[in-house]
Amino acid sequence: MTDITTPDPSSANDDDGVVLEPGASDLVDRVLARAESRTGARVFGAAQALQDATTTGDGSADGEQWDREDRASLRRVAGLSTELEDVTEVEYRQLRLENVVLIGVYSQGSLSDAENSLRELAALAETAGAVVLDGVLQRRPHPDPATYIGRGKADELKGIVAAVGADTVIADTELAPSQRRALEDVIKVKVIDRTTVILDIFSQHAKSREGKAQVELAQLEYLLPRLRGWGESMSRQAGGQVGAGGAGMGSRGPGETKIELDRRRIRTKMAQLRRQIRDFAPARDAKRSERKRNTIPSVAIAGYTNAGKSSLLNRLTSAGVLVENALFATLDATVRRAETADGRIYTLADTVGFVRNLPHQLVEAFRSTLEEVADADVIVHVVDAHHPDPASQIQTVRDVMGDVGARDIREIVVFNKSDLVDDDTRMVLRGLEPKAVFVSSRTGEGIDELRDVIEAALPLPDIEIHALVPYDRGELISQIHEHGHLLTRSHEEGGTLIHAHVSERLAAALEPYTVA
């Protein structure tokens, strides 16, 4: 039997003489402490990519940088938090970053590659907005077909997840739907794979209509074979008696299950997105054909993600493209005009970055964007000189370029971030690519040399011509400077005598003035 005691009136009194129950003063103290804690602003740490802050630079020489300023323009207002700490009858949900644990499988002899891949996965997870708590690797000849790491290791992983307080596990590969479900059944937390993380980053960073449509198409292609039935939400089709494998009376649905409806809707949406992406093609093709008609050479900047492609474009053209020390910071192709020392005009195009094990869905969805690489006259292949494994970066980029039909295009290898490497590392990198150019987008080292190499690699117009252009047709001389390659020029009594390489269109305009 519980004794009920009468509170002592002298136990707790306020200034007005009101009697407070025991513990009320503690409650008031907690409320005042929470109110005081809310007066300060809460600042969450930024996601860390593969490199430290020195790789990004201050960007003072890289153009306007409007996108980066817009991203950093939000300021937290103090004292607006409505977060509850003492909850009794109120549902409590706290907004926070996901805590993740990384897992990977490697075969004998590839430990360093597996560790580099897991570090890259950590950078991807942090770019997507997660906090990496731990990472584990297992050596086995082949991943387990049921649970990826085996049942015993899955039980060990369950203990690690519980110990560090993680709510998500990320596998460093593309998991089969059955593997993901089996792991979730053992670990009891959400399990995703590398492809899901990359798709999530693309979804966050896509800005243009075409980029958003491409990302959504890739997400649907990935989701379609991974749909699951969710219990009672399915419209059952089972028939017959209970003992015959059916569910008895009341189990015969209208004929199409919920998962079949979802699949049909996804296929319909994918068809709409493909048509939408095709509708963007004419405008891009018109711009590209105009450049070809005027014989304007094109240079595409390709490379691994976070290698510094956008920074290099800003250095070469002052384009003002977003520069951020994060993976896949820019997705949309950016084309800028550039000019050689002798007056020839060409274009520089910044393209989407590549990564190892790039999902096939993204390569297919971004094929229209990657056409800038396939149709280029010269490819500037940017490599991160400070990366622990630059050779794998080079091979990954060349594999993707081969997939889009750009393997035979003239390639200039550029080792960026050269201010972060020593002389010994430069010798190793020079052994990988003897003709490579070392540059630093942050300090400007090697930029002039790179411009000279690009100008030397630009293709010359097809037709060589000697012509005496009258002085009243000076616009033809101007077109030769812009769209041709002028070899010699002298001023004669009857006009300007030129020797140049020009296009067919310009050669037709100069034909009346040709000389032997």
Side-chain angles (χ1 to χ4, degrees), residues 113-190:
D113 292 340
E115 289 179 348
N116 288 334
S117 181
L118 208 65
R119 290 191 184 97
E120 184 176 275
L121 180 61
L124 288 168
E126 290 173 352
T127 303
V131 177
V132 179
L133 301 180
D134 205 349
V136 293
L137 288 170
Q138 183 198 15
R139 190 178 75 176
R140 57 185 301 151
H142 304 286
D144 184 70
T147 60
Y148 180 60
I149 57 175
R151 179 74 188 202
K153 296 300 180 184
D155 290 332
E156 291 184 24
L157 180 61
K158 179 181 179 181
I160 295 174
V161 169
V164 299
D167 46 36
T168 304
V169 172
I170 304 179
D172 191 21
T173 187
E174 184 170 323
L175 293 176
S178 60
Q179 290 176 320
R180 183 171 61 86
R181 289 195 295 267
L183 267 179
E184 286 181 347
D185 292 340
V186 175
I187 304 174
K188 306 302 181 183
V189 298
K190 180 176 66 174

Side-chain angles (χ1 to χ4, degrees), residues 45-96:
Q48 296 294 319
L50 289 175
Q51 309 299 336
D52 55 21
T54 60
T55 63
T56 305
D58 55 4
S60 59
D62 289 341
E64 298 294 339
Q65 302 295 331
W66 295 114
D67 289 341
R68 183 169 61 178
E69 292 179 4
D70 290 341
R71 284 193 184 183
S73 63
L74 295 180
R75 297 293 181 267
R76 189 175 297 277
V77 180
L80 298 183
S81 174
T82 58
E83 180 179 347
L84 300 175
E85 294 180 12
D86 293 335
V87 179
T88 55
E89 298 178 355
V90 181
E91 182 183 5
Y92 174 48
R93 295 179 181 176
Q94 184 183 21
L95 180 62
R96 59 186 174 86

Side-chain angles (χ1 to χ4, degrees), residues 78-354:
L80 298 183
S81 174
T82 58
E83 180 179 347
L84 300 175
E85 294 180 12
D86 293 335
V87 179
T88 55
E89 298 178 355
V90 181
E91 182 183 5
Y92 174 48
R93 295 179 181 176
Q94 184 183 21
L95 180 62
R96 59 186 174 86
L97 298 176
E98 285 187 82
N99 296 319
V100 302
V101 171
L102 312 179
I103 59 172
V105 172
Y106 71 99
S107 58
Q108 186 174 6
S110 60
L111 177 59
S112 60
D113 292 340
E115 289 179 348
N116 288 334
S117 181
L118 208 65
R119 290 191 184 97
E120 184 176 275
L121 180 61
L124 288 168
E126 290 173 352
T127 303
V131 177
V132 179
L133 301 180
D134 205 349
V136 293
L137 288 170
Q138 183 198 15
R139 190 178 75 176
R140 57 185 301 151
H142 304 286
D144 184 70
T147 60
Y148 180 60
I149 57 175
R151 179 74 188 202
K153 296 300 180 184
D155 290 332
E156 291 184 24
L157 180 61
K158 179 181 179 181
I160 295 174
V161 169
V164 299
D167 46 36
T168 304
V169 172
I170 304 179
D172 191 21
T173 187
E174 184 170 323
L175 293 176
S178 60
Q179 290 176 320
R180 183 171 61 86
R181 289 195 295 267
L183 267 179
E184 286 181 347
D185 292 340
V186 175
I187 304 174
K188 306 302 181 183
V189 298
K190 180 176 66 174
V191 177
I192 59 177
D193 56 17
R194 184 188 185 96
T195 301
T196 305
V197 177
I198 296 176
L199 289 173
D200 187 80
I201 296 172
F202 272 61
S203 179
Q204 293 179 42
H205 292 178
K207 289 185 176 181
S208 66
R209 288 181 59 199
E210 183 176 12
K212 292 178 180 178
Q214 290 169 330
V215 172
E216 186 177 358
L217 176 60
Q219 288 175 321
L220 292 177
E221 288 180 347
Y222 177 77
L223 177 63
L224 184 60
R226 290 169 173 81
L227 289 177
R228 303 175 60 176
W230 293 102
E232 298 301 324
S233 67
M234 295 184 68
S235 178
R236 304 291 184 182
Q237 287 183 326
Q241 301 301 318
V242 176
M249 292 182 294
S251 64
R252 285 171 281 274
E256 190 172 21
T257 63
K258 175 68 165 58
I259 195 170
E260 289 171 345
L261 285 170
D262 291 340
R263 285 171 180 162
R264 180 161 53 82
R265 288 168 180 163
I266 286 178
R267 292 191 183 98
T268 302
K269 182 63 175 178
M270 288 170 59
Q272 293 174 351
L273 289 171
R274 289 192 179 99
R275 286 196 299 270
Q276 184 178 351
I277 292 173
R278 283 198 300 267
D279 291 341
F280 289 116
R284 186 173 52 252
D285 293 340
K287 295 178 182 178
R288 192 179 297 121
S289 62
E290 180 67 17
R291 295 197 296 266
K292 289 182 178 179
R293 189 169 65 90
N294 291 317
T295 63
I296 298 178
S298 61
V299 179
I301 302 177
Y304 214 77
T305 179
N306 206 38
K309 300 182 298 299
S310 298
S311 300
L312 189 60
L313 177 68
N314 289 338
R315 269 288 179 182
L316 292 171
T317 65
S318 298
V321 180
L322 169 67
V323 173
E324 190 173 348
N325 188 25
L327 307 185
F328 300 113
T330 52
L331 301 182
D332 300 314
T334 303
V335 182
R336 291 292 183 268
R337 167 178 166 153
E339 189 173 336
T340 64
D342 57 1
R344 286 181 294 161
I345 296 174
Y346 65 97
T347 60
L348 275 168
D350 181 21
T351 59
V352 62
F354 304 141

